[in-house]
Amino acid sequence: MRLISSADPRLWSPVTGSLGFAGRRHRKAAIRMLMAQAAAGAGRESLPGARVGSWLASQAIPFAMRRADGRVLAWTWRAEPELVVAMANVQPLTPQLRTARAMMPMQYDDTEDFPTALGVGEKLMMPVPANPASPPFATYSWDTGTHLITLTAVCGDRERFGTVEPALDELARSIRIATDVTGGESDVLRLPPA
């Protein structure tokens, strides 16, 4: 199963599929932000080797995402790449994954229904996570019966987290499943988003 998206190019810069100098600034900003958040979670200002690590990761991530072949899509906020990083992925819904989801902390039960073309999913906004070092985040998830599709967005600024919520909702609505249907195989014709 592969994912596709018609994310608004005026708001989002795709990290997936950006190789070489194309998208390099946004890739590096996304990686720097995620590494800074990891360091804050560990109670440090920065992780050892963070500069070299972020450069290496910015070179390797496009190739890793290309190998993922549509199972992972990532974006950064175009106007300010350090503000928001969003990543969508699809994974088989194994019994272990179902168990892990059932054992999430109670605060993860504060979801609201979120209908899209993928079906009725769940939306969870965490502007103030339980751990003060953790950044604010939003998670959208859809259970297709065989796979779990999630979109997770991490924001670098608690005070501005609410301002990107409408754009995150639109990004979540743009995600689709790419299916290969040949003529005569099905009564349903699936077209990619316009």
Side-chain angles (χ1 to χ4, degrees), residues 113-129:
D113 287 346
F114 191 77
T116 68
L118 296 170
V120 178
E122 294 178 338
K123 173 183 170 182
L124 173 67
M125 300 297 285
M126 294 291 283
V128 184

Side-chain angles (χ1 to χ4, degrees), residues 71 90-95 97-98 146-148:
R71 292 186 309 272
V90 59
Q91 52 191 327
L93 203 47
T94 63
L97 182 58
R98 287 185 190 276
T146 59
H147 289 78
L148 178 69

